[in-house]
Amino acid sequence: MNIQVHQYDETAIAEVTSDQVLIHTPDDGLQLMVDLYYQGYGEIILHEQNITPNFFDLKTGIAGEILQKFTTYRVRLAIVGDFAHYESKSLRDFIFESNKGKQVNFVPSVEEALGRLSR
């Protein structure tokens, strides 16, 4: 796992990259968030390929548990990926509603993630 830091004025944004799935369970998501939070990062970028595919099946509850932790601790999150291939209407609706806010966003590029998290 690598952490690339993007600095915008007073805001340091951590972009997590890896060749492996890093988040398999809600506990994995919580541990990653806490580790980065205590290093001073309140904004985090994750990539779709580093999150278990079960996250994107809302019936598993993994997304809800993980994202609730980010919301509770007020750590902003952008997940970068191509979400068009998911056929679930509920997931598409969830992404649409999430993207209306500032806490959790699903975006197609790191550039867009940085734009959202640096505001």
Side-chain angles (χ1 to χ4, degrees):
M1 175 177 81
N2 296 308
I3 299 170
Q4 181 177 354
V5 178
H6 303 273
Q7 190 72 40
Y8 286 87
D9 296 322
E10 301 291 320
T11 305
I13 301 169
E15 178 186 357
V16 179
T17 58
S18 178
D19 293 334
Q20 304 172 27
V21 172
L22 299 173
I23 299 175
H24 297 277
T25 67
D27 287 340
D28 295 339
L30 176 61
Q31 188 62 54
L32 179 64
M33 183 204 62
V34 168
D35 290 346
L36 292 170
Y37 181 77
Y38 284 111
Q39 292 178 46
Y41 300 107
E43 289 80 21
I44 299 170
I45 298 172
L46 295 176
H47 293 267
E48 174 188 9
Q49 69 264 19
N50 300 132
I51 304 170
T52 180
N54 291 334
F55 176 94
F56 300 97
D57 178 359
L58 296 182
K59 292 177 189 169
T60 66
I62 294 172
E65 276 191 68
I66 291 173
L67 299 180
Q68 182 60 49
K69 300 293 185 195
F70 276 83
T71 300
T72 299
Y73 288 95
R74 296 184 183 174
V75 175
R76 295 174 62 208
L77 174 66
I79 300 174
V80 175
D82 177 11
F83 307 106
H85 66 275
Y86 293 106
E87 296 179 9
S88 166
K89 180 177 177 355
S90 59
L91 178 63
R92 281 193 237 139
D93 291 346
F94 180 76
I95 290 172
F96 178 79
E97 290 300 320
S98 292
N99 285 346
K100 286 182 178 180
K102 292 185 174 186
Q103 190 63 44
V104 176
N105 295 125
F106 294 81
V107 296
S109 68
V110 171
E111 292 75 25
E112 189 167 337
L114 292 170
R116 297 230 184 177
L117 294 175
S118 63
R119 296 184 209 158

